[in-house]
Amino acid sequence: MTIDLLFNDPRLKDIDKAKLVFIQKLFFESKQKTQKELLPFFLSIAKMAKEMNIQFSEDEVNKIVEVIKESSTPEESERISLMLNKFKASKKGPH
């Protein structure tokens, strides 16, 4: 993903720039993590987002993921799907 991808795509024009910066940081930092490190990483990211009062609608998440996946390799796309699933699972909490 290039630095400007999130900021220049017209599908994301209505999403707050602070949210896009947050997602960009999340994306680049997550690339450094192993699968074992991803869940704790996402839990800390979720806590940070809450502290910063950053919330994403389902529509925003879907648009952002769509844009990022379009410029990703198949391996990156698979990793994005995995990260998204782990993040969604962490938000649901235990049943």
Side-chain angles (χ1 to χ4, degrees), residues 1-78:
M1 179 172 73
T2 65
I3 297 294
D4 296 327
L5 176 69
L6 295 177
F7 301 101
N8 292 330
D9 193 291
R11 293 170 288 184
L12 307 180
K13 68 178 175 36
D14 295 327
I15 299 176
D16 186 300
K17 297 297 182 213
K19 290 181 179 183
L20 297 177
V21 169
F22 185 82
I23 288 295
Q24 189 175 51
K25 180 179 179 182
L26 167 73
F27 182 77
F28 284 117
E29 287 184 19
S30 69
K31 288 179 119 180
Q32 310 296 321
K33 306 294 181 194
T34 65
Q35 277 193 311
K36 188 176 182 178
E37 295 171 320
L38 282 178
L39 185 57
F41 173 71
F42 281 114
L43 293 174
S44 70
I45 289 294
K47 181 181 177 190
M48 185 185 342
K50 187 175 183 177
E51 290 170 355
M52 296 172 68
N53 200 29
I54 294 178
Q55 298 177 356
F56 294 90
S57 69
E58 188 172 336
D59 185 55
E60 289 174 327
V61 171
N62 291 335
K63 286 179 182 178
I64 291 168
V65 169
E66 179 182 334
V67 169
I68 292 173
K69 280 186 168 185
E70 286 177 2
S71 68
S72 300
T73 66
E75 293 81 16
E76 289 172 329
S77 184
E78 184 177 325

